[in-house]
Amino acid sequence: MSKITYREALNQAMAEEMGRDDNVFLMGEEVAEYNGAYKVSQGLLDKFGPRRVIDTPITELGFAGLGVGAAMTGLRPIIEFMTWNFAMLALDQIVNAAAKMKYMSGGQYSVPMVFRGAGGSAARVGAQHSQSLENWLVNVPGLKVVMPSNPADAKGLLKASIRDNDTVIFIENEINYGDVGEVPDSEYLIPLGKADVKLTGCDVTIVAHSRMTGFALAAAKELAKEGIEAEVVDPRTIRPLDENTIIQSVAKTNCAVVVEEGWRFAGIGAEISARIMERAFDDLDSPVIRVTGKDVPMPYAANLESLALPSVRDIVEAARTACGRA
Amino acid sequence: MSAKQKQDAGITHDGVFFAQEELHKMHDKMLFIRRFEEKAGQMYGLKKIGGFCHLCNGQEAVCVGLNHAARPDDNIMSSYRDHGHILARGTEPTAVMAELLGRSGGVVKGKGGSMHMFDASKHFAGGNGIVGEQVPIGLGFGFSNWYKDDGGVTICIMGDGGINQGAVYESFNMAALWKLPIVFMVENNQYAMGTSLDRASAETQLFKRGISFKIPGMKIDGMDVLEFKKKMDEAIEHTRSGQGPILVEAMTYRYRGHSMSDPATYRTRAEVDEWRTGRDPIARIQAQMIKADLATEESFKQKDRDIKKEVAAIAKSAESQPEPDEAELWTDIYTDPIAGAYPYPGKVG
Ligand SMILES: Cc1ncc(C[n+]2csc(CCOP(=O)(O)OP(=O)(O)O)c2C)c(N)n1
Ligand SMILES: [Mg+2]
């Protein structure tokens, strides 16, 4: 095991996969000579040269489409969006082309590629640069959506995503880039579609992804002081969702809190609550509680910004209510 | 004619010799596409084809000229007006008709219909229904030609309406910046649905649209298959030789409405006739071949009868196919499905 950052873990995943397969290339704004807006691609240009690490003009729709076309010919593009906010310009290529090409072509053309970049709320950058848009993307059949919450997951999941034969939406967390964690030294992959129980407990299930996994673990610590044992489930892959792990946990705890940073309306929490209702209704002692970002554009002022986001306190309170110890 | 003379028979167009065998092939394919589209129109009228159906009558010389110029391993990207292009590419016509009818033997198993024709074995990559969407994808195919250094080029087709999409200029810029082997081909059939070129374009000379990206442009008569093939050869050679992308404007005309529901009242009868009777690509090559003693009016009539019969048989055979198996609903969404993950088949209803 080595202690590395989330950023370095992503960098190692790309370097290893580019080293083993010449069909893998990285393209995006500032990925090459500038070493990445968030330095995730640090050193890759030096290692692999300008054929495989390519700076683009600021032209998201165009280079997203380039990735789709290249993937259809058997290459394995990694298309970096500086942040997912800017991927909104490329939605046509993601939703209408990448996700549907295999179906529309009757299976003749696959689109084995990764769209990756920073997502989630950032700090003090206002409404356009700070938001969670994963619920837009998980809605689309044909896409896989992966959101790692720590360095070890980031590395293993990105390597698996690059090798996957379908289009993977890989949403990193901007605030987590500097987080340090233990990462195995020998090569490993983490299969897509498998949740991870980050903490076992028997009193309440807390489902949380990406940065919210860390919040949920912090909440669990608080709850432990009160004698409440929380189980924290990180789905890691949001689509397809490892529903069984969530259902099994609820069967044990009989209550659940679902946490997400994004907006509440038609969010991931709504989907997960519905699934728990569909499959574990009889196991529930209380209604599922959602802890979400507030239904507002992200404000700039520090106090308003923190009000807009879920907090550890919100999760603690929801968990107490869910297990009847409020 | 002696045997030797017969072998040498052909037509020299602007310094380029076309042997009679190639001329017959081009003529027959154009006529086949024309009759195929007429049949598709009929089947639509009988409600056997559903949804949107965009015919290419009038534009056959562009489809056929392009495919005589491109190599089989070059990539072709098309919009939704794709029947003529996929037929010209050599895809089995019964599979194309079956696709129109939503049958199991369709070229994409009945999952695409008129707008989404694909044939990967022939490097024909759609079949794209979002106007202009195929241009960045074509950029990716051209990028792949460059990355793999495989000697192929990509021909990326768009309409006179499609060329107004922003994605086209993003693609022009990157293609030129990286000198990718791409022929951007705009089929200027004068209209985007009901909007004539001059009502939508500040610069109506579309071949000039690449100038600020340093992409050279060529305007080609798309109603003359020999001229089109000759110029397309030059355009493809330009990009294959490593000189970067080129923009070709194919001057053409669609005889029918935009789609089957369009009576095309936005243009005059006289205008349609001017193209249809004055510049028809099939009538033109027939006249040239008769003049060169390579065929007779009677031989063309016979050919036409044969093709009509062939097309009727194709329609009948396609129609006799079953609809796709219901299990097909769930296939081709993912290459690597993840077992047990909702909403895959067999999981939570
Ligand atoms: C992005 C988008 N906007 C609008 C449409 C509806 N639409 C379909 S075809 C068309 C006209 C396109 O004309 P042109 O590019 O000239 O091609 P042509 O039909 O003449 O071959 C329009 C507006 C669409 N399919 N996609
Ligand atoms: Mg047009």
Side-chain angles (χ1 to χ4, degrees), chain B residues 31-325:
Chain B
L31 189 57
F32 182 87
I33 293 172
R34 173 79 49 95
R35 298 303 177 223
F36 184 98
E37 291 290 68
E38 284 168 358
K39 189 60 159 183
Q42 253 177 38
M43 304 287 267
Y44 195 93
L46 295 170
K47 296 194 164 33
K48 291 177 177 172
I49 295 174
F52 293 135
C53 181
H54 309 88
L55 305 180
C56 71
N57 307 45
Q59 304 182 197
E60 298 89 350
V62 177
C63 306
V64 172
L66 161 62
N67 276 283
H68 275 250
R71 286 192 335 210
D73 62 331
D74 290 336
N75 302 307
I76 298 191
M77 302 287 314
S78 160
S79 73
Y80 49 84
R81 198 175 297 283
D82 54 4
H83 313 170
H85 287 300
I86 196 167
L87 290 170
R89 199 67 179 146
T91 296
E92 180 52 53
T94 311
V96 178
M97 185 59 84
E99 192 56 44
L100 292 173
L101 297 167
R103 302 303 162 123
S104 58
V107 69
V108 296
K109 304 193 281 188
K111 289 180 169 182
S114 165
M115 294 187 288
H116 306 307
M117 301 280 180
F118 292 79
D119 188 345
S121 71
K122 300 229 165 354
H123 294 256
F124 186 84
N128 297 285
I130 305 295
V131 170
E133 174 193 48
Q134 73 277 15
V135 181
I137 302 175
L139 176 75
F141 274 75
F143 174 86
S144 182
N145 291 130
W146 169 84
Y147 191 91
K148 294 176 177 169
D149 198 16
D150 59 12
V153 309
T154 295
I155 295 101
C156 184
I157 307 169
M158 71 201 86
D160 52 285
I163 200 172
N164 291 321
Q165 287 282 29
V168 171
Y169 300 93
E170 299 189 16
S171 304
F172 280 3
N173 186 42
M174 284 183 273
L177 190 62
W178 299 327
K179 278 197 174 330
L180 302 180
I182 303 175
V183 178
F184 293 105
M185 181 179 115
V186 49
E187 286 179 299
N188 181 358
N189 61 7
Q190 326 292 325
Y191 291 89
M193 289 184 71
T195 305
S196 60
L197 183 62
D198 59 330
R199 290 205 299 124
S201 282
E203 172 55 87
T204 54
Q205 303 274 346
L206 300 179
F207 69 95
K208 294 184 181 166
R209 289 285 188 95
I211 287 176
S212 57
F213 305 94
K214 300 189 177 168
I215 297 180
M218 284 169 81
K219 179 174 185 159
I220 316 183
D221 184 353
M223 303 301 277
D224 177 346
V225 73
L226 303 186
E227 172 70 3
F228 195 76
K229 148 82 164 93
K230 171 182 184 276
K231 290 279 172 61
M232 206 61 197
D233 273 339
E234 293 170 21
I236 290 175
E237 176 47 33
H238 170 95
T239 195
R240 204 188 303 281
S241 67
Q243 297 179 72
I246 187 164
L247 172 59
V248 162
E249 180 180 7
M251 303 305 296
T252 186
Y253 200 79
R254 67 166 154 74
Y255 294 168
R256 306 286 298 257
H258 167 72
S259 63
M260 299 309 296
S261 58
D262 171 21
T265 50
Y266 42 80
R267 53 189 196 184
T268 63
R269 185 80 238 164
E271 179 187 302
V272 179
D273 283 347
E274 185 193 319
W275 287 84
R276 232 184 152 130
T277 49
R279 300 181 62 176
D280 185 73
I282 298 172
R284 180 185 206 129
I285 199 173
Q286 286 188 350
Q288 286 171 306
M289 288 172 73
I290 290 169
K291 194 167 157 223
D293 246 353
L294 303 172
T296 62
E297 225 157 278
E298 187 40 48
S299 72
F300 280 133
K301 275 190 186 142
Q302 186 54 45
K303 184 71 183 167
D304 197 16
R305 283 192 290 270
D306 293 347
I307 288 178
K308 281 180 175 157
K309 246 190 235 158
E310 190 188 347
V311 169
I314 285 167
K316 205 166 162 205
S317 148
E319 226 187 322
S320 74
Q321 292 179 12
E323 290 187 306
D325 192 288

Side-chain angles (χ1 to χ4, degrees), chain A residues 56-91:
Chain A
T56 63
I58 304 163
T59 183
E60 282 81 6
L61 178 57
F63 67 73
L66 186 155
V68 174
M72 287 168 73
T73 71
L75 297 183
R76 292 184 169 265
I78 305 171
I79 297 294
E80 175 173 318
F81 292 119
M82 195 177 277
T83 77
W84 277 94
N85 305 292
F86 315 137
M88 297 299 96
L89 281 88
L91 268 191

Side-chain angles (χ1 to χ4, degrees), chain A residues 22 59 62 73 103 108 143 166, chain B residues 120 144 147-148 170 329 334-335:
Chain A
D22 183 66
T59 183
T73 71
Y103 203 79
Q108 294 181 65
L143 298 180
D166 297 309
Chain B
S144 182
Y147 191 91
K148 294 176 177 169
E170 299 189 16
L329 182 65
Y334 295 99
T335 311

Side-chain angles (χ1 to χ4, degrees), chain A residues 1-5 8-9 12 151-152 155 180-186 188:
Chain A
M1 288 282 187
S2 308
K3 281 203 159 187
I4 61 170
T5 61
E8 285 162 340
Q12 286 182 5
K155 183 171 179 185
V180 176
E182 297 264 353
V183 171
D185 293 319
S186 55
Y188 67 100

